[in-house]
Amino acid sequence: EVQLVESGGGLVQPGGSLRLSCAASGFTFSSYAMSWVRQAPGKGFEWVSAINGGGVSASYADSVKGRFTISRDNGKNTLYLQMNSLKPEDTAVYYCAKYYGGNYYNTENYDYWGQGTQVTVSS
């Protein structure tokens, strides 16, 4: 059974940092690209970042480029998202998702999702 469990969310002030983690199990983690996707209150899903299975190639949405860094540890079956210089507009539930094909930024191209972790950026 595929399981994705996110952690690391919380309340942070604007300009602060958080590191999200996603523990994966039930599949060969290193064989699949993974992404972070977020959903702000009252809005649809927004793709944030993707990383290939080997961890050497990453992509970012323009809204987070230069502030967020995606990484993975295939030995620990864990995906990460380092978020720096956080802004109130980054407030959302963040999900990790297992990619199965097509364009990374199309959120329909993911077959398994975690339960999400809430990130709130507010003073």
Side-chain angles (χ1 to χ4, degrees):
E1 177 189 6
V2 173
Q3 287 194 329
L4 299 170
V5 180
E6 302 94 338
S7 61
L11 173 64
V12 62
Q13 292 187 342
S17 298
L18 280 176
R19 189 195 196 201
L20 306 183
S21 298
C22 171
S25 62
F27 64 105
T28 305
F29 182 65
S30 60
S31 295
Y32 293 90
M34 299 288 295
S35 279
W36 289 97
V37 179
R38 67 187 180 184
Q39 186 174 31
K43 297 188 177 181
F45 291 108
E46 177 191 14
W47 172 78
V48 173
S49 180
I51 188 167
N52 71 339
V56 296
S57 178
S59 301
Y60 299 92
D62 287 344
S63 58
V64 307
K65 199 172 294 183
R67 300 187 298 121
F68 291 10
T69 303
I70 191 171
S71 63
R72 64 192 296 161
D73 184 336
N74 286 341
K76 295 182 179 179
N77 287 355
T78 303
L79 178 72
Y80 303 101
L81 185 68
Q82 178 66 43
M83 305 187 295
N84 298 330
S85 303
L86 282 161
K87 305 176 181 180
E89 52 263 45
D90 295 318
T91 295
V93 177
Y94 283 72
Y95 300 89
C96 66
K98 175 179 168 286
Y99 169 77
Y100 73 84
N103 296 313
Y104 282 150
Y105 49 81
N106 186 339
T107 58
E108 294 184 0
N109 291 333
Y110 296 87
D111 54 358
Y112 290 94
W113 297 62
Q115 84 289 348
T117 186
Q118 175 71 47
V119 172
T120 303
V121 184
S122 174
S123 55

